[in-house]
Amino acid sequence: MILEMSKISVLGLHSERKAVLEALHKRELVELSQPDAAHIRFQETEKSVAQFEKYMQSAQAALAVLDSYAPDKKPSGLFAGRRVLPAQKYHMASSDSDAVLRLVYRVLSLSDDIREHRESIRKIEAKQTALEPYLALDIPMNVSGTRDTLMKTGALQGLWTREGLQKELEARELEAAHAELLSASREHSYVWFVFLKAQEKSAEAFLQKIGFVPPPFRLSQWTPTQKRALLEEEKAALIQKIQEAAAEITECGERRRDIELFYDHLCLRKDKYQALARMGMMEHSFLLEGYIPKKQGESLRQLLEDKWTVCVELAAPEHPEDVPVMFQNNLFAAPVETITETYSMPSPTDVDPNPVMAFFYYLFFGMMFSDAGYGLLLALVCGYLGFSKQLEKAKRKNYRMFFFCGLSTVFWGLMFGSFFGDMTYTVASAFFGKEFSLAPLWLDPINQAMQLLIASVALGLVQILAGLGLKFYALCKQKKYIDAICDAGFWMLTLLGIGGFAAGAAIPALKTAGMWAAIAGAAGLVATGGRKSKNIFGKVLGGITGLYDITGYASDALSYCRLMALGLATGSISNVVNMLCAMFGKSVLGVILFIVVAVAGHGMNFAINALGAYVHTNRLQYVEFFSKFYEGGGRRFTPLQMRTKYHQFSEE
């Protein structure tokens, strides 16, 4: 059902506003709204909120650094839960907060230092690589010559020899020049030349002709070998600094819990300051307004008025369209609330679809998944996760939904005689030479596909009628009795008549009754379909054209053929997997391969068809069911609550 909401107003002393706000924060019962009253002001908290967000980003970045250097040993993934702390830890002393913030900045500073040192090492290694071809040179590379000579060190394209260089020098009448080949590869040759200064112009022309290129780095006062040694020392020093910084970060990892608690306190403070911005302030008092579930209102009023000097008023909301929506259903219907929330929250005129939808949701999921073995696995795993305390309460709802889906799958698997496909027959025949199989309690979907198709469409028609029934109920709840009869009642009568007429093939007594019911319903639709039109032609044509919507209902009913299609797919693929398993014989190797193929094949079939059943079941609810009665557009109830990432604060 949809919980009834009350509008709550709290007027209290300015000095007690934070204490009252913290009480509301811990109880998570009130969604705050901004008061619309004269002569009140609102506290500006944007700068504080922005500062909290900045600190949160820094804390998150520091934790990411710790994950790299000192990974957390706590469980991660599905079973990772928040640590429970006593409510006294709700507050964090300013001195502790400042100390943790310094720790955060220290971790980030060390991480920045490591990143800079690694970048410096990368540059050093690039220099060493560029210097490698010149190591044979035994003089400093920045020596450009003597009083009478000119020295050049650089690279040439291609593979050169000393004889080839000498011939080029002689061809340019530079016999007095000296060429020394330092190193060479197929792509480049590295050389050192000595020319007479008197032949400088000829030397420049020669170097240009052979494609001489000077080194791409700044020349050093050291020989290449000495420079390489100096770079290696510099690199070793940087590596040492990286190791020291990494060791310090690892030590900081022992205080990871402090940073996580600091982050959660920032989350709490951010939410409180955002809430403070919605509180109206006067000279000596404050005004707080919001929404609260009606059944919780009196107990909260008693608590606030007993502990503080406040006046609490509870009233019916003046504007129903602004009221947030909250569901409260039993164990069977509550798990599918997330399906409805994903689509849209109900509008003020809607009814809660979850109790009715839950039945059809579980029914259709199981019919599409349709294997007792798969359903048993799904129910066992999701039942454990959904009903045990292994997971936090908020995470259990989806697993409870799939638990009921698993039970439905077991039911339909038994109806269709499928337990991991025809696994019982495969094992009995392949290993024991027996003819034994699990007989279907209702029908064999492969050999009786037409009967399954008819049943699928019939179930679809039942859900469509349920949707129209909810529409009828919602209109009656709004006291629109004429609309309920004309817009829902006549359609229900028409569809029931068509269904009865179709069932007349098996039960002749229903044929005549169904025909007259369909005629009566259609006549009602024609007579009332244009009732809201202002002219006679609109009234007549509106009813006739309204009857054309029967094609839409027929299309919706045929959409339920997917129940048969996916059910057949699951069973057929399971049987193919079993056939492959039995191909390897009764030997030891055959048994091993049987198990391997069965686990892999059925695992893949389980994953694909479970996903297909989930997607198509959702589609049937959203498109075929909700479209008959559901408006949506409501707003989810979002109370001020303690939204934390790493810890839970408990009064226990």
Side-chain angles (χ1 to χ4, degrees), residues 11-216:
L11 181 65
L13 296 178
H14 191 279
S15 59
E16 295 179 338
R17 73 189 191 283
K18 288 189 176 180
V20 172
L21 185 62
E22 287 181 358
L24 298 179
H25 196 194
K26 292 176 181 178
R27 279 156 184 80
E28 303 180 338
L29 291 173
V30 179
E31 178 182 306
L32 299 180
S33 60
Q34 190 162 302
D36 184 15
H39 309 297
I40 61 173
R41 58 183 175 82
F42 296 96
Q43 184 173 342
E44 297 291 335
T45 62
E46 290 86 352
K47 291 183 179 179
S48 297
V49 170
Q51 189 65 56
F52 293 145
E53 290 176 343
K54 179 182 176 182
Y55 291 156
M56 289 167 63
Q57 291 173 357
S58 298
Q60 201 67 50
L63 289 170
V65 172
L66 294 180
D67 287 338
S68 300
Y69 293 91
D72 195 5
K73 296 180 180 179
K74 70 175 184 179
S76 59
L78 176 63
F79 297 104
R82 295 179 297 171
R83 286 177 293 278
V84 179
L85 292 179
Q88 296 89 320
K89 293 287 186 177
Y90 176 83
H91 292 285
M92 191 173 192
S94 297
S95 57
D96 295 337
S97 178
D98 293 341
V100 177
L101 185 59
R102 288 193 296 271
L103 173 65
V104 166
Y105 285 148
R106 179 56 181 165
V107 170
L108 295 179
S109 175
L110 291 169
S111 177
D112 290 340
D113 290 345
I114 290 175
R115 184 168 55 252
E116 291 174 3
H117 294 334
R118 284 176 175 166
E119 180 62 22
S120 297
I121 289 174
R122 189 192 64 79
K123 292 178 180 179
I124 288 173
E125 290 175 343
K127 289 179 181 179
Q128 289 177 321
T129 300
L131 195 63
E132 195 72 25
Y134 300 98
L135 292 178
L137 187 65
D138 57 0
I139 63 171
M141 293 187 69
N142 66 348
V143 175
S144 59
T146 63
R147 186 184 64 181
D148 299 318
T149 61
L150 183 67
M151 299 179 186
K152 294 288 185 180
T153 305
L156 303 175
Q157 289 288 337
L159 181 61
W160 287 75
T161 62
R162 185 172 181 180
E163 292 74 13
L165 290 172
Q166 198 63 41
K167 287 182 180 179
E168 288 289 338
L169 289 170
E170 291 174 357
R172 285 282 178 170
E173 298 180 353
L174 294 170
E175 295 87 347
H178 172 72
E180 187 171 332
L181 188 64
L182 301 175
S183 63
S185 65
R186 184 174 297 179
E187 292 81 17
H188 295 94
S189 297
Y190 300 89
V191 295
W192 178 65
F193 291 108
V194 180
F195 302 99
L196 294 175
K197 277 192 175 180
Q199 296 179 315
E200 184 174 356
K201 290 185 178 180
S202 298
E204 294 291 345
F206 165 75
L207 293 174
Q208 185 175 1
K209 178 180 181 299
I210 64 175
F212 177 84
V213 179

Side-chain angles (χ1 to χ4, degrees), residues 142-317:
N142 66 348
V143 175
S144 59
T146 63
R147 186 184 64 181
D148 299 318
T149 61
L150 183 67
M151 299 179 186
K152 294 288 185 180
T153 305
L156 303 175
Q157 289 288 337
L159 181 61
W160 287 75
T161 62
R162 185 172 181 180
E163 292 74 13
L165 290 172
Q166 198 63 41
K167 287 182 180 179
E168 288 289 338
L169 289 170
E170 291 174 357
R172 285 282 178 170
E173 298 180 353
L174 294 170
E175 295 87 347
H178 172 72
E180 187 171 332
L181 188 64
L182 301 175
S183 63
S185 65
R186 184 174 297 179
E187 292 81 17
H188 295 94
S189 297
Y190 300 89
V191 295
W192 178 65
F193 291 108
V194 180
F195 302 99
L196 294 175
K197 277 192 175 180
Q199 296 179 315
E200 184 174 356
K201 290 185 178 180
S202 298
E204 294 291 345
F206 165 75
L207 293 174
Q208 185 175 1
K209 178 180 181 299
I210 64 175
F212 177 84
V213 179
F217 50 84
R218 190 173 64 180
L219 302 181
S220 170
Q221 62 179 337
W222 310 99
T223 66
T225 302
Q226 292 172 330
K227 182 63 176 177
R228 183 180 65 173
L230 291 172
L231 290 173
E232 196 62 35
E233 291 178 5
E234 187 177 347
K235 178 180 173 181
L238 290 172
I239 292 174
Q240 179 64 28
K241 290 181 180 179
I242 289 174
Q243 292 173 345
E244 292 172 355
E248 187 173 348
I249 291 176
T250 302
E251 292 178 3
C252 293
E254 297 176 359
R255 298 186 61 191
R256 171 191 292 273
R257 301 290 176 261
D258 294 337
I259 299 177
E260 291 175 347
L261 184 59
F262 175 66
Y263 179 90
D264 281 346
H265 276 288
L266 290 172
C267 292
L268 298 176
R269 295 192 68 188
K270 174 189 169 184
D271 288 343
K272 284 192 291 184
Y273 271 72
Q274 288 176 330
L276 279 172
R278 298 191 186 99
M279 295 175 66
M281 301 293 181
M282 292 161 278
E283 185 175 0
H284 300 293
S285 59
F286 71 89
L287 176 62
L288 181 151
E289 291 185 354
Y291 296 98
I292 184 172
K294 185 176 181 179
K295 66 177 186 177
Q296 304 283 356
E298 286 298 330
S299 61
L300 182 65
R301 175 165 66 179
Q302 188 70 36
L303 172 71
L304 295 179
E305 291 183 345
D306 287 349
K307 293 191 68 174
W308 295 284
T309 308
V310 297
C311 176
V312 180
E313 180 181 330
L314 297 169

Side-chain angles (χ1 to χ4, degrees), residues 346-585:
S347 70
T349 59
D350 278 324
V351 296
D352 183 4
N354 295 301
V356 176
M357 184 185 72
F359 171 77
F360 289 105
Y361 194 94
Y362 303 142
L363 184 75
F364 293 158
F365 185 100
M367 194 171 180
M368 284 190 270
F369 207 21
S370 68
D371 186 279
Y374 294 172
L376 186 61
L377 288 177
L378 187 65
L380 289 175
V381 174
C382 293
Y384 172 73
L385 295 175
F387 293 97
S388 70
K389 294 185 178 180
Q390 186 68 40
L391 300 177
E392 293 182 25
K393 188 175 181 180
K395 296 180 180 180
R396 298 174 197 164
K397 183 177 284 189
N398 282 337
Y399 292 105
R400 291 180 179 180
M401 182 185 78
F402 286 113
F403 166 74
F404 289 116
C405 289
L407 293 182
S408 175
T409 303
V410 172
F411 169 78
W412 284 109
L414 295 176
M415 291 294 103
F416 297 154
S418 178
F419 186 85
F420 295 103
D422 58 355
M423 179 64 78
T424 54
Y425 174 80
T426 301
V427 172
S429 60
F431 296 104
F432 303 102
K434 304 290 185 181
E435 294 287 332
F436 174 79
S437 62
L438 181 65
L441 299 180
W442 178 34
L443 58 78
D444 183 345
I446 295 178
N447 296 322
Q448 297 173 286
M450 183 55 67
Q451 290 92 319
L452 181 58
L453 177 62
I454 294 171
S456 299
V457 175
L459 287 173
L461 184 60
V462 171
Q463 187 179 35
I464 291 172
L465 288 169
L468 289 170
L470 288 175
K471 182 177 182 179
F472 187 93
Y473 172 76
L475 290 171
C476 289
K477 190 177 178 182
Q478 301 170 50
K479 299 183 179 180
K480 297 180 179 180
Y481 302 110
I482 300 299
D483 290 344
I485 295 171
C486 298
D487 296 339
F490 285 142
W491 273 117
M492 293 172 67
L493 184 60
T494 302
L495 295 177
L496 280 170
I498 293 173
F501 184 81
I507 308 175
L510 293 177
K511 189 171 185 179
T512 302
M515 179 183 68
W516 286 110
I519 291 173
L525 291 171
V526 171
T528 62
R531 68 188 184 280
K532 295 182 180 179
S533 180
K534 295 182 179 180
N535 58 72
I536 188 64
F537 296 103
K539 291 181 181 295
V540 174
L541 294 176
I544 296 173
T545 56
L547 191 60
Y548 182 73
D549 288 344
I550 192 66
T551 59
Y553 285 101
S555 174
D556 290 342
L558 290 175
S559 291
Y560 288 84
C561 293
R562 71 189 69 236
L563 297 175
M564 176 215 44
L566 270 75
L568 284 176
T570 304
S572 300
I573 297 173
S574 297
N575 292 344
V576 171
V577 171
N578 293 335
M579 182 178 65
L580 294 175
C581 292
M583 292 174 58
F584 305 104

